[in-house]
Amino acid sequence: MLPLNPAHLPRLLTEALRLHEAGRLPEAEERYRSVLAVAPDEPAANFHLGRLLAARRAPEALDRLGRAARARPQEVAGSRRR
């Protein structure tokens, strides 16, 4: 398999979100992990993968959600006020 071009990450992340929303969770997880293989600190991929894993009660969920919060703490703080 060829290395993923970083320019393709937004498209891959959009695809992952669509799969996630459609309930195609194994495929969504694969796409999130592909994004994170190239950009390990990508906040949206970490957050949504964390959500997916939390639904399965997977221990890795906390790590992923924490990475997302550390990358964009102002967004996480703002979401708690709602």
Side-chain angles (χ1 to χ4, degrees):
M1 183 177 197
L2 295 173
L4 183 64
N5 181 336
H8 296 156
L9 294 182
R11 181 188 54 78
L12 194 58
L13 184 55
T14 298
E15 185 178 324
L17 289 167
R18 286 186 182 141
L19 290 165
H20 195 160
E21 290 171 1
R24 296 170 59 184
L25 303 183
E27 294 165 278
E29 180 177 351
E30 179 184 319
R31 299 310 190 288
Y32 292 134
R33 291 188 186 282
S34 292
V35 170
L36 293 167
V38 175
D41 295 322
E42 208 296 315
N46 274 304
F47 176 74
H48 292 293
L49 178 58
R51 285 181 41 228
L52 186 151
L53 295 170
R56 290 195 326 231
R57 300 190 189 281
E60 183 188 354
L62 291 176
D63 177 57
R64 293 295 167 188
L65 293 170
R67 286 174 184 244
R70 286 188 297 278
R72 293 202 177 145
Q74 67 283 1
E75 290 180 21
V76 173
S79 68
R80 281 187 255 164
R81 288 188 218 130
R82 295 179 190 170

